[in-house]
Structures are given as structure tokens and as C-alpha cells.
Amino acid sequence: MTLFANIHAIISPVRATAKDRKGITALEYGLAAALVALVIIGGARTFGTNVSTLFTGIGTTVSGTSTTIP
């Protein structure tokens, strides 16, 4: 085989893969899903921290009140 034939044998599958848009579309959907997951995780962590702070404040307020009935 000549050098040109060897190069063509290597490049031909790469060209076929580049023309196949299905793989690229799946990759784009995968990246979009990963981005949505990161946003959801970030929002849940922020929400959880805020709820924890709220309940800590409520617990502090409740424990500072008298529990005896006059």
C-alpha cells in the first residue's frame, strides 16, 4: 500500500463519523442534561441551607421562652 492509501484508510472512518449528526446531537443533549442537573443540585443546596438557618432560628427562639405555666 502506498502512503496515500494508508492515510485515506485512517481518515475515511473519521470523515464518516463527522458526518453522522446523531452522535453529536446525543452529546448536546447529554451536556444540556448535565447543566440542568448542576442547576438543580445548586438550587437544592441553597434551599437546604436557608431552611436549616430558618429552623435553627426558630429553635433558638423557642428555647429562649419559658416553658412553665404561671
Side-chain angles (χ1 to χ4, degrees):
M1 286 180 98
T2 66
L3 178 61
F4 180 73
N6 288 337
I7 293 172
H8 181 68
I10 293 171
I11 293 177
S12 183
V14 173
R15 283 186 181 168
T17 304
K19 288 181 181 178
D20 182 20
R21 295 289 297 170
K22 291 178 187 174
I24 294 173
T25 302
L27 177 66
E28 290 168 351
Y29 280 124
L31 290 173
L35 181 63
V36 168
L38 287 174
V39 169
I40 289 172
I41 290 169
R45 289 189 71 178
T46 302
F47 179 73
T49 302
N50 291 341
V51 169
S52 176
T53 303
L54 174 70
F55 281 117
T56 300
I58 291 171
T60 302
T61 303
V62 169
S63 65
T65 61
S66 175
T67 58
T68 58
I69 301 175

